[in-house]
């Protein structure tokens, strides 16, 4: 029997399990203290937990399921981790250093079925969803890396922007958010967490109903259906009108600013005309949206796309600004270390395949 990762349980689920096992309720808080504050990696290190309870924990759960396979450090401090999961699948996690804190980008699926035409992650169809324990453990592994350095540094922000479509793994995503956000867990503030989606409109609505303070980012990348369908085939299922309606629903319920992600692809979606269309599309929600212009990270397998020229990026930015749209150009992190999502993983898989031949 493969044991379940204990990181996958919310505190309520752990409490319920302990009670079922005839254990005391308060043990849950003690166990969480060992897991998330003291960050032990063996149950036997949980000093104030009685033998019987420890034995039950050992029987049913594991703490460590991820094995670090590769770690790449960039000159700007960005660190990319490649982890091997228990079934041998590889996933990526990235630690980025910003003036406001340390941010971790987590993976939610092995591969991605959405298959956007510019993305390295979408090259490999989804093999499976990560369970919530595997998503939480990515943060724990990075935090343990920081603990080992001994500089008293904390992961302060999380972006769910690694491999996979988080809303296609909704249930595990929500458990993950509840664990990392809980004051007795890692206590990472909801306002410091951002979930990015390619636009599963019905899930945007579900997310709006969760009443969390977690930030939402929508990968729009084009201001009209023709262009969006060309670069993201998911647009056929969830065209722009449906997305905007879901966004309105979200904004009504949450009144929280949503980030609109827009990758700039040279001569594809980076003309002033598209900037004007985008400004028009967002006009009625301009106070509650922020457009993040993302310089494209070239992916070897997608040679049809190139990064936009600086002057075109600036013209796009200026057009949005002139039309009252809040926007910025994303600062690049880890440009020297396979920074685009899924790049390190696809490279490593190729290496492993070459070795196997
Ligand atoms: N599946 C989700 C979250 C993961 S992708 C989503 O699509 O939103 C996170 C972000 O990285 C998305 O905005 C995605 O469009 C962007 N991205 C993917 N490949 C990229 C590349 N090669 N260069 C720049 N950004 C990329
Ligand atoms: Fe999947 Fe996001 Fe990549 Fe699209 S951009 S293929 S949704 S990970």
């Amino acid at each position: 029997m493969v044991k379940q990762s204990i990181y996958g349980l919310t505190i309520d689920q752990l409490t319920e399990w302990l009670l079922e096992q005839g254990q005391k309720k308060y043990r849950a808080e003690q166990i969480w203290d060992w897991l998330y504050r003291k960050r032990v990696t063996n149950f036997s290190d949980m000093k104030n937990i009685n033998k019987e309870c420890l034995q039950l924990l050992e029987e049913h759960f594991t703490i460590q399921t991820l094995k670090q396979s590769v770690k790449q450090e960039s000159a700007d401090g960005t660190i990319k981790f490649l982890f091997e999961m228990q079934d041998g699948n590889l996933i990526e996690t990235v630690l980025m250093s910003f003036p406001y804190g340390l941010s971790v980008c987590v993976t939610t699926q092995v591969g991605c079925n959405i298959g956007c035409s510019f993305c390295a992650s979408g090259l490999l169809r989804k093999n499976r969803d990560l369970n919530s324990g595997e998503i939480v453990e990515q943060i724990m592994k990075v935090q343990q890396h920081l603990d080992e350095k001994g500089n008293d540094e904390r992961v302060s922000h999380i972006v769910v922007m690694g491999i996979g479509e988080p809303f296609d793994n909704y249930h595990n995503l929500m458990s993950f958010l509840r664990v990392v956000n809980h004051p007795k867990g890692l206590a990472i503030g909801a306002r410091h967490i951002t979930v990015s989606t390619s636009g599963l409109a019905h899930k945007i609505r579900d997310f709006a109903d969760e009443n969390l303070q977690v930030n939402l980012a929508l990968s729009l990348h084009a201001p009209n259906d023709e262009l969006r369908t060309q670069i993201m085939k998911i647009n056929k299922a969830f065209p722009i009108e449906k997305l905007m309606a879901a966004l309105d629903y979200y904004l009504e319920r949450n009144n929280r600013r949503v980030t609109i992600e827009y990758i700039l692809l040279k001569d594809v979606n980076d003309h002033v005309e598209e900037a004007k269309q985008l400004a028009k599309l967002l006009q009625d929600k301009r106070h509650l949206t922020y457009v993040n212009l993302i310089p494209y990270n070239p992916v070897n397998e997608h040679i049809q796309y190139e990064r936009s020229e600086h002057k075109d990026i600036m013209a796009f930015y200026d057009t949005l600004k002139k039309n009252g749209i809040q926007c910025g150009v994303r600062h690049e992190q880890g440009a020297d270390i396979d920074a685009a999502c899924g790049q390190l993983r696809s490279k490593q898989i190729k290496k492993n395949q070459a070795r196997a031949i």
Side-chain angles (χ1 to χ4, degrees):
M1 186 189 81
V2 180
K3 292 188 219 168
Q4 197 189 344
S5 162
I6 192 148
Y7 292 134
L9 267 62
T10 60
I11 198 154
D12 292 344
Q13 287 167 333
L14 181 60
T15 308
E16 202 179 308
W17 181 83
L18 286 163
L19 290 173
E20 275 168 21
Q21 304 293 323
Q23 296 294 315
K24 295 274 184 286
K25 193 176 165 189
Y26 67 83
R27 291 269 179 238
E29 281 196 14
Q30 289 180 328
I31 295 167
W32 265 42
D33 187 59
W34 286 107
L35 288 174
Y36 299 110
R37 295 284 157 79
K38 305 193 177 82
R39 298 191 273 280
V40 300
T41 49
N42 288 303
F43 289 116
S44 55
D45 292 332
M46 299 183 170
K47 299 290 180 232
N48 55 356
I49 310 292
N50 65 2
K51 249 207 184 127
E52 188 199 333
C53 187
L54 283 182
Q55 214 171 345
L56 281 167
L57 289 171
E58 301 258 16
E59 263 170 41
H60 288 85
F61 300 105
T62 52
I63 302 184
Q64 306 211 71
T65 68
L66 303 182
K67 220 168 63 196
Q68 191 179 305
S69 161
V70 176
K71 187 164 89 179
Q72 287 186 339
E73 294 208 37
S74 158
D76 65 13
T78 302
I79 304 181
K80 196 152 192 170
F81 299 83
L82 193 68
F83 295 117
E84 186 181 333
M85 297 193 289
Q86 275 177 322
D87 61 2
N89 273 309
L90 296 171
I91 53 162
E92 277 176 34
T93 309
V94 185
L95 169 64
M96 293 162 289
S97 180
F98 292 104
Y100 54 75
L102 291 169
S103 178
V104 175
C105 177
V106 291
T107 285
T108 51
Q109 297 180 314
V110 181
C112 183
N113 276 348
I114 308 294
C116 302
S117 64
F118 48 79
C119 172
S121 305
L123 284 169
L124 300 156
R125 284 193 73 77
K126 183 176 88 171
N127 178 310
R128 72 168 172 90
D129 289 331
L130 263 63
N131 59 48
S132 54
E134 288 165 333
I135 312 177
V136 173
E137 194 179 346
Q138 294 173 57
I139 307 287
M140 296 309 294
K141 280 274 185 287
V142 174
Q143 184 58 56
Q144 281 151 4
H145 157 87
L146 295 170
D147 293 344
E148 277 163 23
K149 278 177 40 193
N151 298 335
D152 206 13
E153 290 173 310
R154 290 273 331 269
V155 172
S156 57
H157 291 68
I158 295 176
V159 287
V160 186
M161 291 191 184
I163 301 165
E165 167 48 53
F167 283 175
D168 184 37
N169 187 11
Y170 192 82
H171 182 72
N172 288 321
L173 169 77
M174 293 315 296
S175 294
F176 158 74
L177 294 175
R178 295 212 166 89
V179 171
V180 294
N181 173 237
H182 199 283
K184 302 266 182 211
L186 284 171
I188 297 174
R191 287 159 191 267
H192 286 184
I193 304 175
T194 303
V195 176
S196 172
T197 179
S198 58
L200 277 62
H202 56 307
K203 293 290 163 63
I204 293 177
R205 289 171 186 267
D206 289 348
F207 196 64
D209 291 336
E210 301 281 352
N211 223 347
L212 284 169
Q213 300 291 313
V214 171
N215 303 301
L216 176 70
L218 171 65
S219 296
L220 192 64
H221 306 324
N224 63 64
D225 282 327
E226 196 188 335
L227 195 51
R228 193 162 189 269
T229 304
Q230 186 190 319
I231 59 179
M232 300 173 79
K233 57 181 197 276
I234 181 100
N235 194 62
K236 277 195 198 133
F238 302 108
I240 290 178
E241 200 182 333
K242 273 197 185 152
L243 280 185
M244 291 302 123
L247 210 56
D248 285 337
Y249 181 84
Y250 177 91
L251 293 172
E252 262 166 42
R253 306 230 146 197
N254 287 273
N255 208 34
R256 291 190 59 68
R257 196 167 75 159
V258 170
T259 300
I260 305 292
E261 288 162 292
Y262 196 103
I263 299 182
L264 288 160
L265 304 164
K266 184 175 178 200
D267 296 334
V268 176
N269 65 353
D270 65 348
H271 311 101
V272 164
E273 177 52 30
E274 275 106 33
K276 284 185 187 158
Q277 285 179 21
L278 182 60
K280 205 164 160 208
L281 185 69
L282 300 177
Q283 206 46 240
D284 64 336
K285 25 188 163 292
R286 65 183 186 282
H287 300 299
L288 281 170
T289 48
Y290 175 90
V291 177
N292 204 358
L293 298 171
I294 309 171
Y296 177 60
N297 246 316
V299 174
N300 285 344
E301 291 81 354
H302 299 312
I303 45 165
Q304 74 273 36
Y305 295 129
E306 282 174 60
R307 173 174 295 199
S308 299
E309 284 174 32
H310 182 71
K311 67 167 180 30
D312 293 326
I313 298 179
M314 291 330 289
F316 202 99
Y317 171 89
D318 287 341
T319 307
L320 290 181
K321 277 271 173 199
K322 249 186 261 152
N323 286 279
I325 303 295
Q326 308 177 69
C327 59
V329 180
R330 183 188 281 177
H331 168 69
E332 248 192 299
Q333 292 273 323
D336 52 339
I337 56 161
D338 306 315
C341 310
Q343 278 184 342
L344 176 59
R345 174 172 177 263
S346 60
K347 206 187 239 181
Q348 192 67 19
I349 288 173
K350 272 189 224 140
K351 255 195 220 161
N352 291 353
Q353 281 167 346
R355 254 187 239 132
I357 294 166

